[in-house]
Amino acid sequence: QSTPRWRVREMAEDLARIDAGIVFLMEVKDAAAVNVLQAELANHPVARYEVYRMDLAWLDQEVVLLTRHPPARFRRYDYKGLGVSLDRVVYADFEIDGHGLRFVAAHLKAGIQDETAARTRNYQVQE
């Protein structure tokens, strides 16, 4: 079942309201949802973003970067061999006003029941 366009339109309105230059969306349902979002943003009078996607096929979801500043690099985080089960973290490098800036989108949802994963994710973000 595809993502209802009205939900995506609501999201575009929220993006226009907060007026953020860079937004990461974690766990977007599927490629069809990203396509709907991209089409709605392209036609929106205010919330205009370039859309970059990181298809994580083994997780049945996508990580999406919405930005008004094209990134110099957008990729999965290098886990130094820790395995694909942790590949929810992606990063984007930017050059803004002559300064380098890295944004990291990390899935930090792990709770006390997932103590080892929580420590690992926190460590990876601090690297």
Side-chain angles (χ1 to χ4, degrees):
Q1 183 178 7
S2 63
T3 300
R5 286 192 180 275
W6 65 267
R7 292 188 70 192
V8 176
R9 283 188 201 111
E10 280 184 352
M11 181 181 211
E13 293 301 321
D14 288 340
L15 290 168
R17 184 178 43 77
I18 64 173
D19 196 31
I22 299 169
V23 177
F24 266 114
L25 303 174
M26 299 295 294
E27 299 185 4
V28 175
K29 180 179 172 184
D30 54 26
V34 178
N35 292 338
V36 170
L37 177 62
Q38 192 165 15
E40 289 297 325
L41 290 175
N43 295 319
H44 196 278
V46 178
R48 294 186 178 267
Y49 291 93
E50 290 186 42
V51 178
Y52 296 81
R53 62 202 314 159
M54 184 66 63
D55 182 7
L56 304 177
W58 58 89
L59 294 174
D60 283 336
Q61 63 193 18
E62 296 202 24
V63 177
V64 177
L65 168 66
L66 307 176
T67 181
R68 295 185 179 135
H69 311 278
R73 184 163 53 171
F74 174 57
R75 60 177 292 179
R76 261 186 333 195
Y77 199 81
D78 179 4
Y79 285 105
K80 300 177 184 168
L82 292 178
V84 297
S85 65
L86 298 174
D87 284 340
R88 293 172 189 234
V89 179
V90 299
Y91 70 88
D93 289 329
F94 297 89
E95 280 286 327
I96 299 176
D97 296 330
H99 300 281
L101 182 64
R102 174 170 285 177
F103 277 75
V104 179
H107 189 284
L108 298 176
K109 185 176 160 184
I112 196 159
Q113 75 283 1
D114 194 9
E115 187 177 330
T116 302
R119 279 197 305 269
T120 301
R121 289 177 181 145
N122 287 325
Y123 169 76
Q124 289 162 346
V125 171
Q126 293 171 13
E127 274 189 338

